[in-house]
Amino acid sequence: MKEKELIQIIKTTLNSEYIGDDCAYLKDLGIVITQDSLVEDIHFKMDYITPFQLGFKSVMVNISDICASGAKPLYLTISLSLPKHIDDEFIKNFYEGAKEAAQDVKIVGGDLTGSEKIFISVTALGTDKGRKISSRANAKAGYKIIVSGEHGNSAKGLEVLLKHPSPVFQTPSRGEGNKKFIQAHLMPVAQREFSKQIAENINCNYAMMDTSDGLADALIQIAKASNVTLSTDTSKIPHDPAVSINTVLYGGEDYQLVACVPENFLKKISDYTIIGEVKNGNSGIEIDGIFYSDIDDKLYNHFEEK
Amino acid sequence: MKEKELIQIIKTTLNSEYIGDDCAYLKDLGIVITQDSLVEDIHFKMDYITPFQLGFKSVMVNISDICASGAKPLYLTISLSLPKHIDDEFIKNFYEGAKEAAQDVKIVGGDLTGSEKIFISVTALGTDKGRKISSRANAKAGYKIIVSGEHGNSAKGLEVLLKHPSPVFQTPSRGEGNKKFIQAHLMPVAQREFSKQIAENINCNYAMMDTSDGLADALIQIAKASNVTLSTDTSKIPHDPAVSINTVLYGGEDYQLVACVPENFLKKISDYTIIGEVKNGNSGIEIDGIFYSDIDDKLYNHFEEK
């Protein structure tokens, strides 16, 4: 059974109105909350990531979720489960990486337990003070689709790492040109400024997500939640020429942001790229003029490298 | 290396003033936050607990932490990592148990990932609205030590379960008399009313903890953080006659509350047992007139069943 079907069971069982966005918005408290886990050999392998990088990334992916909501990240808790062979150096380096990623966000608690594999679960809190909170259900026809940064770099980096594993930042065999991609995968950077600019300046409802599961996935999630068509051209999506279009669309873990905002709002912000627009129509995405109702083999195969 | 030494490394690395109590108190947001994980084969085994009970307990232990702070529990997120063989019935039952334990506390998010073993990490939030928040550093000489409920039942229940494993609530071989102990272990109940009574009515600083790691551990943690001696008599500690004094003192996971409050406050509350008092002196606990500076073999051996 797929994750999305299982989440549907959870939603039905709990009958909760909160589950849907990356963060839950707790209006009475003025905060958003998100919790994400990283599991060894599922989300990462210790043969290519250092403890510092692991601490850094675990924190950053949760800060990215807060940024996707438009809230200002404030606090973190970290729950860490570790096998017996892990030494105190690992823990020290892990938390140094976590602290580096957190910056002014305070790490205020969590717990430490035993386990067979490394399990990391981070919870992040943000405040809505002076910020307008997004929802993926807020895209409207006529809105422009904008993104931060380049897409596909992280997936490209993972590809290189799996070919040349070694838990150091750079090995000569990986090639100098791949440094940027490896960095994007091991130490992604949450788009705090992009989020802040929008959330502090916008007066109307808007949609925003991060691209943790890939750009095409983010577009389809917004389209489905908002019941609109998101139309984009691959030529408009910022990406490195060394990264294939399939990786640009499907590659996860870039932690860039994608937002749907009114065109007349764009004059208030900078450092974004318009990749398309929101249209009335069926829930789905239109890429280079072809409509897809879901991310399926048809879409994937269309952009498969020949 | 022991968990407490590792936590010291984390505290030093992060230089955080928050880490110490079961919950972090985020005063600017008016909330407390806690995160605790349960790992298969470390904290539980699937051969004696049902998915419903597991969901129930995972939520309850975190609500207990919120209750220990004196805050009112409001929201939960649940991060669940599951092996491939887990079916949708497991997930449905797990969340039904979680919902039952949560009562009016809302489950608002989390995530679902793969893993080799079951890994559950729950984050709980509570509000300080109308409540005075506790700290284990707040015990003062002259305060009375009070507790909720009976102690040692959960550890006694675990003992029975390990002898007679089977993932149903009751098997005949376990004996009718053990039902209460098994229930205490598999489906502990957070002391919401005890916490509420104190936190809503007290006007001064006070100490409170839950007994997740055992009563003696809670007493020693409060004594060390407050730099006082906590004095108790084993004859005063409420417990079932079938439970040994060692289990009463050391047995974890009862999720009862222990608080140190001024004597003249006691008239405002009900349903508590006075088990001793706080004295000036070295950091440590005095049990039946003998002083212990830590929970070490000396203390354990003293109450070992002969």
Side-chain angles (χ1 to χ4, degrees), chain A residues 246 250 285 290-304:
Chain A
N246 237 345
Y250 283 100
I285 50 179
I290 300 171
F291 180 83
Y292 305 89
S293 62
D294 214 332
I295 298 179
D296 52 17
D297 293 345
K298 191 180 142 205
L299 174 57
Y300 188 82
N301 291 333
H302 185 83
F303 294 101
E304 185 88 74

Side-chain angles (χ1 to χ4, degrees), chain B residues 64-78:
Chain B
S64 179
D65 274 335
I66 299 289
C67 290
S69 78
K72 182 185 180 191
L74 282 184
Y75 295 105
L76 291 168
T77 58
I78 302 175

Side-chain angles (χ1 to χ4, degrees), chain A residues 155-214:
Chain A
K156 174 82 178 171
L158 178 60
E159 206 177 281
V160 178
L161 286 166
L162 292 175
K163 275 183 206 158
H164 307 283
S166 164
V168 291
F169 178 71
Q170 177 74 342
T171 62
S173 64
R174 288 173 184 163
E176 188 61 30
N178 289 323
K179 204 167 168 175
K180 166 173 125 178
F181 305 129
I182 292 167
Q183 174 83 352
H185 186 75
L186 296 178
M187 296 181 72
V189 177
Q191 298 299 309
R192 300 179 201 228
E193 275 308 309
F194 185 93
S195 167
K196 185 185 176 197
Q197 268 197 86
I198 295 177
E200 285 189 349
N201 292 299
I202 204 160
N203 297 315
C204 62
N205 286 337
Y206 67 104
M208 189 151 66
M209 277 186 73
D210 75 5
T211 60
S212 50
D213 294 327

Side-chain angles (χ1 to χ4, degrees), chain A residues 1 3 6-7 9-10 13-16 18-19 24 26 28-29 31 33 35-37 39 42-43 74-75 77-79 81 88 91-92 95-96 99 106-117 119 121-123 125 127, chain B residues 1 3 6-7 9-10 13-16 18-19 24 26 28-29 31 33 35-37 39 42-43 74-75 77-79 81 88 91-92 95-96 99 106-117 119 121-123 125 127:
Chain A
M1 197 171 281
E3 190 190 338
L6 296 174
I7 287 171
I9 295 173
I10 297 172
T13 307
L14 295 178
N15 190 23
S16 170
Y18 293 91
I19 294 161
L26 313 175
D28 57 332
L29 300 176
I31 62 172
I33 184 169
Q35 184 179 5
D36 264 325
S37 299
V39 184
I42 303 277
H43 301 98
L74 281 185
Y75 295 106
T77 59
I78 302 176
S79 188
S81 300
D88 55 342
I91 294 183
K92 192 169 170 288
Y95 277 91
E96 276 173 357
K99 201 175 165 183
K106 289 189 179 116
I107 301 172
V108 296
D111 74 340
L112 193 62
T113 66
S115 61
E116 280 178 37
K117 300 268 182 177
F119 280 102
S121 191
V122 176
T123 300
L125 289 186
T127 175
Chain B
M1 197 170 283
E3 190 191 339
L6 295 175
I7 287 171
I9 295 172
I10 297 171
T13 308
L14 295 178
N15 190 24
S16 170
Y18 292 92
I19 293 161
L26 311 176
D28 56 332
L29 301 177
I31 63 172
I33 184 168
Q35 184 179 4
D36 264 325
S37 299
V39 184
I42 302 276
H43 300 98
L74 282 184
Y75 295 105
T77 58
I78 302 175
S79 187
S81 300
D88 56 341
I91 293 184
K92 193 167 169 289
Y95 277 92
E96 276 174 357
K99 201 176 165 184
K106 289 189 179 114
I107 301 172
V108 295
D111 74 341
L112 193 62
T113 66
S115 61
E116 279 179 38
K117 300 267 179 175
F119 172 80
S121 190
V122 177
T123 300
L125 290 186
T127 175

Side-chain angles (χ1 to χ4, degrees), chain B residues 216-246:
Chain B
D217 179 80
L219 295 174
I220 204 100
Q221 297 304 331
I222 292 172
K224 284 184 174 182
S226 301
N227 200 24
V228 290
T229 299
L230 264 60
S231 175
T232 182
D233 288 318
T234 52
S235 64
K236 292 179 183 164
I237 302 170
H239 66 93
D240 190 283
V243 180
S244 74
I245 290 298
N246 238 347

